[in-house]
């Protein structure tokens, strides 16, 4: 049986690193983790590759490289993200744009890039890491909560759209 190929964004630290290590060591999957900056990829037990989720060309290159090596991506875990806090009126527009590019637009572009491969194999799982902050409003988190809520509802609608293609979409 062929091993599953998994792409985990934001895998150089935190939740992403834990997910990637678990899938590599416990499940024995072929794991590609990503990071914007790679200082020493030999410190990782899985394949760590460079990816900037805010740049479409970086996303296309990443997916293309993995598909050339593995000929499939079974699971996409959109984990990369940035936090943002503060009163809405004081958050610079550039920070709002960066947040939405990283936490919302990047995952959407990654999904769009892996879907043709998943659809042709009639198999795939897309996991979007969102936040309880997308469900519960708290002061000074409007932009963060809005971005995570948007990704959550996109996940829900995509699950309905892609079910007939054998692709599962979940939001965590």
């Amino acid at each position: 049986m062929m091993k599953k190929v998994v792409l985990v964004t934001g895998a150089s630290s935190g939740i992403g690193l834990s997910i990637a290590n678990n899938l590599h060591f416990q499940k024995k999957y072929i794991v590609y983790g990503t990071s914007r900056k790679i200082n020493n990829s030999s410190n990782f037990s899985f394949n760590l590759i460079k990816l900037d989720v805010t740049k479409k060309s970086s996303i296309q290159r990443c997916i293309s490289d993995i598909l050339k090596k593995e000929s499939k991506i079974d699971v996409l875990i959109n984990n990369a993200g940035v936090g943002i806090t503060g009163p809405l009126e004081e958050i610079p527009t550039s920070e709002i744009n960066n947040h939405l590019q990283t936490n919302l637009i990047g995952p959407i572009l990654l999904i769009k890039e892996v879907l043709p491969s998943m659809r042709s194999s009639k198999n795939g799982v897309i996991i979007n890491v969102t936040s309880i902050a997308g469900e519960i409003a708290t002061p000074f988190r409007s932009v963060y909560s809005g971005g995570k809520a948007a990704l959550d509802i996109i996940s829900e609608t995509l699950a309905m759209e892609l079910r007939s293609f054998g692709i599962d979409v979940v939001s965590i």
Side-chain angles (χ1 to χ4, degrees), residues 104 130-131 133-135 143-155:
L104 181 61
T130 60
S131 172
E135 301 288 328
V143 175
Y144 181 80
S145 294
K148 290 299 187 175
L151 186 58
D152 188 48
I153 201 69
I154 286 170
S155 301

Side-chain angles (χ1 to χ4, degrees), residues 58-69 73 113:
S58 181
I59 291 169
Q60 290 171 326
R61 186 172 37 258
C62 172
I63 300 303
S64 175
D65 288 350
I66 295 171
L67 289 174
K68 281 179 190 164
K69 290 178 190 166
I73 296 173
E113 205 63 34

Side-chain angles (χ1 to χ4, degrees), residues 73-91:
I73 296 173
D74 297 297
V75 181
L76 166 63
I77 302 175
N78 277 314
N79 169 71
V82 293
I84 188 170
T85 58
L88 180 65
E89 66 182 321
E90 293 181 13
I91 300 172

Side-chain angles (χ1 to χ4, degrees), residues 20-35:
N21 278 328
N22 181 275
L23 294 175
H24 173 77
F25 288 118
Q26 303 300 316
K27 297 289 187 178
K28 307 294 186 212
Y29 292 165
I30 299 169
V31 177
Y32 286 85
T34 73
S35 178

